[in-house]
Amino acid sequence: MAILGYMAKALKMDIEEIRELFSEGIQSMRMNYYPPCPQPDRAIGLTPHSDADALTILLQLNETEGLQIRKEGNWVPIKPLPNALVVNIGDIMEIVSNGDYRSIEHRATVNSEEERLSIATFCSSKLDTVIGPAPSLISPNSPAPFRRVPLEMYLKEFFARKLNGKAHLDFMKVYR
Ligand SMILES: O=C(O)CCC(=O)C(=O)O
Ligand SMILES: [Fe+2]
């Protein structure tokens, strides 16, 4: 909530909107185990995707490299730092911020010698909320690029799809 609050402040967004959406929102956790792979060039640990949530807080549990983010078309490795957490922006944040914060596409590669472990905590809004651009950020100069959809439907749609880059966000886009 503290991180989300700072992000809302940076956007000059109505803080009440963030509180309403995210306080006591859904949190889920995934533990990822990537065993060593004899042919790492022919395999992927976790396929490219953006997270569907608002913010992901990720712990890389050991020193094995694997997490990469897509920046200007290139895959950039994110080296694990001891006692550090990675905070990733997810699709809900891109939607709520009216496109000002972009969710980050990422993937995990595998290693021929060493196993790798990570724990991701996904922070979303409350299940009975409707996801859409924050009303305080919509104006004639910045019209809403995304639709409003109940979180439950948004998540059902996400889990029904294969992970594929940022394709899930297309489902939310308004085409003019
Ligand atoms: O293992 C990692 O570093 C990435 C995990 C991840 O992207 C996820 O669980 O959504
Ligand atoms: Fe992820």
Side-chain angles (χ1 to χ4, degrees), residues 19-90:
R19 269 199 209 115
E20 242 162 65
L21 276 172
F22 296 111
S23 58
E24 300 188 30
I26 297 177
Q27 273 196 25
S28 54
M29 218 175 217
R30 176 157 60 215
M31 301 178 77
N32 300 299
Y33 175 65
Y34 309 94
C37 171
Q39 292 182 293
D41 297 341
R42 304 186 65 190
I44 186 82
L46 192 52
T47 204
H49 65 283
S50 53
D51 296 338
D53 63 348
L55 277 188
T56 304
I57 301 180
L58 181 89
L59 177 66
Q60 307 196 70
L61 269 180
N62 56 359
E63 307 279 290
T64 312
E65 279 186 39
L67 175 63
Q68 298 180 337
I69 59 162
R70 200 204 285 275
K71 193 173 178 222
E72 288 154 14
N74 302 314
W75 288 108
V76 180
I78 305 297
K79 294 198 174 159
L81 298 174
N83 301 319
L85 299 164
V86 176
V87 180
N88 274 336
I89 293 181

